[in-house]
């Protein structure tokens, strides 16, 4: 039996601590790894070319697919929580406004340019974001299989 909206809302209100989320951003990235295949100076030159193309208003995703070592998805990192990436990444990215992009910055992995698409502060995830998860949890909780456990 499917849970009602009232049951889902009640579960959400009585279990709010389960839905805490850290500060997070949705971002696009261009990254050039510095390793035996690409020196720092070569990576820097390529990142400067990428930055120049971005200055001409070329879409970030196109430039990412052309220059990034992580090609094929337009540089989309998805949602990234503060503290998941290295400190230099967080310092450069979490200070950007939505729509803004960083300059070239360096981490132990290489050189990066990041554009922030969305920013969510730390806090309780909204009901609309967790509604389906709660519904599934309540369905599983009341299924005959879970009653046998």
């Amino acid at each position: 039996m499917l849970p009602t909206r009232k049951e889902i809302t009640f579960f959400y209100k009585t279990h709010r601590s389960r839905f805490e989320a850290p500060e997070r951003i949705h971002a696009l990235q261009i990254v050039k790894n510095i390793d035996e295949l690409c020196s720092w100076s070569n990576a820097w030159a390529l990142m400067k070319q990428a930055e120049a193309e971005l200055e001409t208003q070329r879409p970030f995703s196109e430039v990412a697919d052309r220059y990034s070592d992580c090609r094929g998805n337009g540089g989309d990192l998805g949602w990234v929580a503060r503290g998941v990436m290295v400190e230099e990444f967080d310092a450069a990215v979490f200070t950007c406004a939505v729509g803004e992009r960083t300059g070239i910055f360096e981490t132990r992995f290489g050189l990066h340019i990041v554009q922030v698409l969305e920013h969510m502060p730390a806090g309780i995830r909204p009901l609309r974001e967790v509604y389906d998860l709660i519904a599934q949890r309540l369905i599983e909780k009341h299924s005959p299989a879970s009653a046998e456990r």
Side-chain angles (χ1 to χ4, degrees):
M1 186 168 156
L2 296 176
T4 65
R5 180 161 188 72
K6 186 176 181 179
E7 291 170 318
I8 293 169
T9 301
F10 179 78
F11 185 91
Y12 177 75
K13 288 179 179 179
T14 58
H15 297 88
R16 287 179 65 84
S17 63
R18 291 186 182 187
F19 306 109
E20 289 182 24
E23 179 184 13
R24 57 200 193 278
I25 51 121
H26 180 201
L28 302 177
Q29 172 182 237
I30 300 168
V31 61
K32 289 305 295 176
N33 299 313
I34 299 170
D35 54 25
E36 61 279 347
L37 300 175
C38 187
S39 68
W40 187 93
S41 57
N42 286 341
W44 182 261
L46 289 167
M47 291 298 275
K48 290 301 281 183
Q49 289 175 357
E51 191 174 53
E53 285 194 29
L54 291 170
E55 291 298 323
T56 69
Q57 304 305 312
R58 186 173 299 265
F60 195 101
S61 58
E62 283 181 24
V63 178
D65 280 341
R66 184 172 304 118
Y67 290 95
S68 185
D69 286 344
C70 298
R71 293 182 175 99
N73 66 346
D76 195 344
L77 289 175
W79 285 95
V80 178
R82 184 185 284 275
V84 170
M85 303 294 233
V86 294
E87 284 181 35
E88 301 88 352
F89 182 92
D90 284 0
V93 173
F94 279 90
T95 57
C96 286
V98 171
E100 189 178 15
R101 75 170 186 267
T102 67
I104 300 169
F105 67 94
E106 187 172 1
T107 70
R108 68 176 176 250
F109 300 105
L111 301 174
H112 310 256
I113 301 172
V114 176
Q115 181 176 17
V116 174
L117 301 177
E118 299 175 80
H119 185 190
M120 296 289 289
I124 304 296
R125 294 168 64 187
L127 177 58
R128 70 180 179 284
E129 195 176 298
V130 296
Y131 188 91
D132 292 338
L133 287 169
I134 295 171
Q136 187 60 40
R137 170 77 173 105
L138 292 174
I139 289 168
E140 290 169 3
K141 185 177 176 182
H142 293 97
S143 73
S146 68
E148 295 171 8
R149 289 183 227 163

